[in-house]
Amino acid sequence: MSYDTHNIFAKILKGDIPFEALYQDEFAVAFPDINPRAKVHVLVIPTGPYVSSEDFHARARDAEIVGYYRALDKVLEILNLKGNSGYRLLSNSGKDAKQEVPHFHTHIFAGQDLGPMLCV
Ligand code: AMP
Protein backbone atom coordinates (compact mmCIF):
# COMPACT_ATOMS: atom_id res chain seq x y z
CA MET A 1 0.00 0.00 0.00
CA SER A 2 1.51 3.33 -0.99
CA TYR A 3 1.47 6.30 1.36
CA ASP A 4 -1.51 8.65 0.95
CA THR A 5 -0.07 12.16 1.32
CA HIS A 6 -3.58 13.53 1.99
CA ASN A 7 -4.29 11.43 5.10
CA ILE A 8 -5.27 13.38 8.21
CA PHE A 9 -1.97 12.85 10.05
CA ALA A 10 -0.01 13.98 6.98
CA LYS A 11 -2.10 17.17 7.11
CA ILE A 12 -1.32 17.58 10.82
CA LEU A 13 2.40 17.18 10.08
CA LYS A 14 2.20 19.77 7.30
CA GLY A 15 0.47 22.19 9.68
CA ASP A 16 -2.74 22.21 7.60
CA ILE A 17 -4.87 21.03 10.56
CA PRO A 18 -4.61 22.48 14.07
CA PHE A 19 -3.61 20.10 16.86
CA GLU A 20 -2.42 20.27 20.45
CA ALA A 21 1.21 19.12 20.43
CA LEU A 22 2.08 17.36 23.68
CA TYR A 23 5.52 16.56 22.33
CA GLN A 24 7.33 17.18 19.07
CA ASP A 25 10.83 16.48 17.81
CA GLU A 26 12.59 15.52 14.58
CA PHE A 27 11.23 11.97 14.70
CA ALA A 28 7.77 12.09 16.27
CA VAL A 29 4.75 14.17 17.21
CA ALA A 30 2.29 13.38 20.02
CA PHE A 31 -1.20 14.82 20.44
CA PRO A 32 -4.48 13.88 22.12
CA ASP A 33 -6.83 11.64 20.14
CA ILE A 34 -9.79 13.68 18.87
CA ASN A 35 -12.19 10.90 19.93
CA PRO A 36 -10.75 9.67 23.24
CA ARG A 37 -11.54 6.08 24.26
CA ALA A 38 -9.98 6.45 27.73
CA LYS A 39 -9.34 9.25 30.22
CA VAL A 40 -5.88 9.55 28.71
CA HIS A 41 -5.74 8.79 24.98
CA VAL A 42 -2.73 10.13 23.11
CA LEU A 43 -1.35 9.35 19.66
CA VAL A 44 2.33 9.25 18.78
CA ILE A 45 3.15 9.42 15.08
CA PRO A 46 6.47 9.37 13.24
CA THR A 47 7.28 12.47 11.20
CA GLY A 48 8.13 10.33 8.16
CA PRO A 49 5.59 8.95 5.63
CA TYR A 50 4.88 5.38 6.75
CA VAL A 51 1.54 3.64 6.28
CA SER A 52 1.70 1.07 9.07
CA SER A 53 3.98 -0.52 11.65
CA GLU A 54 5.31 -3.03 9.12
CA ASP A 55 6.00 -0.24 6.61
CA PHE A 56 7.76 1.82 9.31
CA HIS A 57 9.90 -1.06 10.51
CA ALA A 58 10.79 -2.09 6.94
CA ARG A 59 11.58 1.31 5.41
CA ALA A 60 12.54 3.75 8.17
CA ARG A 61 16.20 4.40 8.91
CA ASP A 62 17.51 2.98 12.18
CA ALA A 63 17.82 6.55 13.54
CA GLU A 64 14.13 7.19 12.78
CA ILE A 65 13.07 3.97 14.50
CA VAL A 66 15.15 4.64 17.59
CA GLY A 67 14.10 8.33 17.57
CA TYR A 68 10.43 7.37 17.35
CA TYR A 69 10.55 4.93 20.28
CA ARG A 70 12.64 7.34 22.39
CA ALA A 71 10.02 10.02 21.70
CA LEU A 72 7.23 7.60 22.68
CA ASP A 73 9.07 6.97 25.93
CA LYS A 74 9.37 10.74 26.55
CA VAL A 75 5.62 11.11 26.04
CA LEU A 76 5.02 8.45 28.72
CA GLU A 77 7.24 10.55 30.99
CA ILE A 78 5.44 13.81 30.13
CA LEU A 79 2.10 12.13 30.87
CA ASN A 80 3.55 10.92 34.19
CA LEU A 81 2.72 7.32 33.34
CA LYS A 82 6.04 5.68 34.09
CA GLY A 83 6.20 3.73 37.34
CA ASN A 84 2.55 4.40 38.14
CA SER A 85 -0.58 2.33 37.72
CA GLY A 86 0.01 1.42 34.09
CA TYR A 87 -0.95 2.17 30.51
CA ARG A 88 -1.61 0.40 27.23
CA LEU A 89 0.22 0.90 23.93
CA LEU A 90 -1.64 -0.15 20.81
CA SER A 91 -1.00 0.11 17.10
CA ASN A 92 -3.63 -0.91 14.56
CA SER A 93 -2.38 -2.20 11.25
CA GLY A 94 -4.61 -3.00 8.32
CA LYS A 95 -8.19 -4.10 7.79
CA ASP A 96 -8.66 -6.66 10.58
CA ALA A 97 -7.35 -4.16 13.13
CA LYS A 98 -9.64 -1.48 11.68
CA GLN A 99 -6.82 0.98 11.09
CA GLU A 100 -8.57 4.25 10.18
CA VAL A 101 -5.65 6.54 9.44
CA PRO A 102 -3.01 5.16 7.04
CA HIS A 103 -0.07 6.79 8.80
CA PHE A 104 1.68 4.60 11.39
CA HIS A 105 0.81 5.58 14.96
CA THR A 106 0.80 4.24 18.47
CA HIS A 107 -2.14 4.86 20.80
CA ILE A 108 -1.38 5.44 24.49
CA PHE A 109 -4.34 4.63 26.76
CA ALA A 110 -4.23 5.34 30.48
CA GLY A 111 -5.82 7.08 33.45
CA GLN A 112 -8.25 4.31 34.38
CA ASP A 113 -8.67 0.52 34.58
CA LEU A 114 -8.39 -0.36 30.89
CA GLY A 115 -10.23 -3.66 31.12
CA PRO A 116 -9.38 -6.77 29.13
CA MET A 117 -7.16 -6.44 26.09
CA LEU A 118 -9.82 -7.75 23.70
CA CYS A 119 -13.47 -8.73 24.04
CA VAL A 120 -14.19 -11.71 21.78
P1 AMP B 1 -6.65 3.92 14.06
O1 AMP B 1 -7.96 3.23 14.01
O2 AMP B 1 -5.64 3.17 14.88
O3 AMP B 1 -6.15 4.28 12.68
O4 AMP B 1 -6.89 5.27 14.86
C1 AMP B 1 -6.91 6.55 14.30
C2 AMP B 1 -7.23 7.50 15.41
O5 AMP B 1 -7.02 8.82 14.95
C3 AMP B 1 -8.68 7.42 15.92
O6 AMP B 1 -8.66 7.07 17.30
C4 AMP B 1 -9.21 8.85 15.68
O7 AMP B 1 -10.06 9.29 16.72
C5 AMP B 1 -7.92 9.66 15.62
N1 AMP B 1 -8.00 10.91 14.87
C6 AMP B 1 -8.51 11.10 13.63
N2 AMP B 1 -8.38 12.40 13.26
C7 AMP B 1 -7.76 13.03 14.28
C8 AMP B 1 -7.34 14.38 14.51
N3 AMP B 1 -7.54 15.34 13.60
N4 AMP B 1 -6.74 14.67 15.69
C9 AMP B 1 -6.53 13.70 16.62
N5 AMP B 1 -6.91 12.43 16.46
C10 AMP B 1 -7.51 12.08 15.31
Side-chain angles (χ1 to χ4, degrees), residues 20-23 29-33 38-44 70-89 106-112:
E20 182 198 339
L22 297 174
Y23 180 79
V29 176
F31 49 88
D33 194 291
K39 282 187 183 153
V40 175
H41 185 177
V42 168
L43 300 170
V44 186
R70 292 263 184 247
L72 177 55
D73 195 60
K74 278 186 196 141
V75 177
L76 296 175
E77 214 166 289
I78 288 164
L79 296 172
N80 197 27
L81 296 177
K82 291 168 95 171
N84 284 321
S85 54
Y87 53 86
R88 180 170 292 156
L89 303 181
T106 303
H107 297 256
I108 301 173
F109 299 105
Q112 63 184 79

Side-chain angles (χ1 to χ4, degrees), residues 1-119:
M1 188 182 179
S2 61
Y3 184 76
D4 167 18
T5 54
H6 300 296
N7 80 73
I8 198 100
F9 295 169
K11 288 181 181 167
I12 283 177
L13 287 167
K14 275 187 259 169
D16 293 348
I17 289 183
F19 69 103
E20 182 198 339
L22 297 174
Y23 180 79
Q24 195 157 14
D25 67 16
E26 179 187 350
F27 299 108
V29 176
F31 49 88
D33 194 291
I34 203 167
N35 179 23
R37 269 77 151 206
K39 282 187 183 153
V40 175
H41 185 177
V42 168
L43 300 170
V44 186
I45 70 173
T47 51
Y50 303 104
V51 177
S52 61
S53 66
E54 67 201 57
D55 186 31
F56 180 61
H57 297 132
R59 292 196 303 111
R61 289 177 291 114
D62 288 357
E64 289 178 276
I65 294 173
V66 171
Y68 175 75
Y69 286 105
R70 292 263 184 247
L72 177 55
D73 195 60
K74 278 186 196 141
V75 177
L76 296 175
E77 214 166 289
I78 288 164
L79 296 172
N80 197 27
L81 296 177
K82 291 168 95 171
N84 284 321
S85 54
Y87 53 86
R88 180 170 292 156
L89 303 181
L90 178 126
S91 183
N92 292 316
S93 220
K95 182 166 64 71
D96 282 357
K98 310 246 181 309
Q99 181 181 4
E100 287 170 23
V101 180
H103 180 112
F104 171 53
H105 51 281
T106 303
H107 297 256
I108 301 173
F109 299 105
Q112 63 184 79
D113 183 332
L114 295 165
M117 192 161 58
L118 286 176
C119 297

